[in-house]
Amino acid sequence: MKKYIALLLTMAMLMPYVATPMRAFAEEPENIATAQPDESEYLWHSGLNKDVSPFDLIDSESTKAHEVSSESSSEESKKTVNGDSTTNQKKSEETKKSLPAISRGIEGEFEYEIIEPDTDEEEQEEQEQQESSAYYFVTITGYNGSNSSPIVPEKIAGVNVERIDPYAFDSNSALREITLPDTIKEIGYNAFSNCEFLEKVILPDSVERIGSYAFENCTSLYSINYPAKLNDVGAGIFEGDESLVAFTIPENVTIVPGSLLSGSSIESVELPSTIIEIGSYAFYNCYDLKTINLPEGLKTIGYEAFSGCSSLEKIILPDSVEKIGDSAFANCTSLSSINYPLNLKEVGSDVFYGATSLTRIVIPEGVKIVPEYFLRNSGIENVELPSTITEI
C-alpha cells in the first residue's frame, strides 16, 4: 500500500513538467516574433553602413552592372547604326560567303551532301589560308538517273566531290560504265554492290580508300584500273565479280593492300617490280587464281595472303623474301611446286596447312636455319636440306 501511495505522489509531482510541452504543441501561439539578426552581423563588410545588409549591397552592385551593360550595349548599337562597325559587318559577310548555301541537294541526277571534315587546329589554320571550299567536301549519296555511263562532276556548289557514300549506287540496273573525277579520295562500302550490268569503272589515281564489298556482285564487271594512291582496302571489294579475271597493278606501287582481291574470280595478276609487300588476305579465297608473278625485291607476304587459292599450282618466291605470315599458302590444295627464298628469316605457323599436293621441297645451299613452324601441318613427304644447315 505504501508503495502504491508513493507512486501516485511521484506521478503528481511530474505532471506539470509533462503537461507544459504538450500544451506547447497543442496550442498555436497567436503572435510569433521573427528573430532578427544582430546588427553586428551586417558589419562584416569593410566600410559597410550598419543600416545596409550585404544582400542590399549585392542587389545594388548587380543593378549598377546591369546599367553599365545596358549603356555599353546601347553604345555598340549606336556605333553599328552610325557605321563604326563596318569591319565586323564585312567579316560576317565573308563568313556567310565561305559557307555552302545548302548542306544537301540534287545536282542533275546525283544526290549529294556537303560535309565539314573534322580537323585539328593546325589543319584549320592551313585551310583558313586557302579558298573557302577547302573547308568542306561533297559526298555523293545517291544516283537516280537512267544514264548508263554517268560522269561524276568534280565540283558541286563550288566544292570538291571527294567521296562516294556507302550504297550510293547499290543495285542500280542502269549502270554500264562510270567515270569518277580526280577529286575522289574515298569509295564507301557497298557503294556499287549488286550493279549487275556494270562492266567498266575508271578510278582516278586520287582514290586512297575503298570500303568493304564496294563492287561486290558486279557480275558483268570485267575492267577496272588500280589507283596509284590506293592504300586502304576493305574486305571482299570484288567478291562475286565473276567476269573480272585479270588484274594489273601499275609500276611505282609498293604495297598490295590487304584484302585487295579477296573472294574475287581473278585468274591472273600482274605485279610491278616496285612491290615490296603483299598485305594480309590480299588474294584470300581467290579460287580461280592460277598464275601470279612475284617480283625480286618483295620482302613480306602477309598472313593468309594466298590462303584458299585452290587452283594455284606453282609459285616462285624471290630470294628477297624475308617474312611469310601465318597460313600464307594454307589450303592451296593444288600447289605442288614452291621454292625456298635464300633470305627467309621469319615464318609464321601453318604456312602450308592443307596444301596436300605439296609433297616435296628443296632448301638451297647457303641457308643455315630452317625457321620454326615452316612446314607444320603441310602435306610434305620429302625435304632436301643443304650442307650449310646449322639449326632446324
Side-chain angles (χ1 to χ4, degrees), residues 221-224 238-249 260-270 282-292 305-306 308-312:
L221 183 65
Y222 70 88
S223 176
I224 187 168
F238 300 113
E239 190 168 309
D241 296 356
E242 57 191 38
S243 299
L244 188 65
V245 296
F247 197 83
T248 301
I249 297 177
L260 176 65
L261 291 166
S262 63
S264 70
S265 299
I266 210 78
E267 294 179 6
S268 64
V269 178
E270 289 289 328
F283 303 98
Y284 177 78
N285 282 348
C286 289
Y287 303 118
D288 300 314
L289 181 63
K290 296 175 181 176
T291 60
I292 184 169
F306 294 92
C309 294
S310 54
S311 297
L312 189 62

Side-chain angles (χ1 to χ4, degrees), residues 6 23 43 74 80 85-86 98 135 145 160 164 180 191 208 210 223 230 258 275-276 292 343 346-347 383:
R23 283 196 301 271
L43 303 180
S74 178
T80 304
S85 60
T86 307
S98 68
Y135 290 104
N160 285 346
I164 306 296
L180 303 178
E208 299 173 0
I210 300 178
S223 176
L230 185 64
I275 289 291
I276 61 172
I292 184 169
N343 293 303
E346 185 180 346
V347 177
V383 179

Side-chain angles (χ1 to χ4, degrees), residues 76-91:
E76 288 297 324
S77 178
K78 289 177 183 178
K79 286 181 181 180
T80 304
V81 172
N82 294 332
D84 292 340
S85 60
T86 307
T87 305
N88 291 334
Q89 287 179 340
K90 284 183 178 179
K91 287 182 178 179

Side-chain angles (χ1 to χ4, degrees), residues 124-142:
Q124 192 169 351
E125 288 179 4
E126 290 177 5
Q127 289 178 347
E128 286 174 355
Q129 298 173 5
Q130 301 173 4
E131 57 182 292
S132 60
S133 62
Y135 290 104
Y136 308 92
F137 69 87
V138 169
T139 180
I140 300 298
T141 58

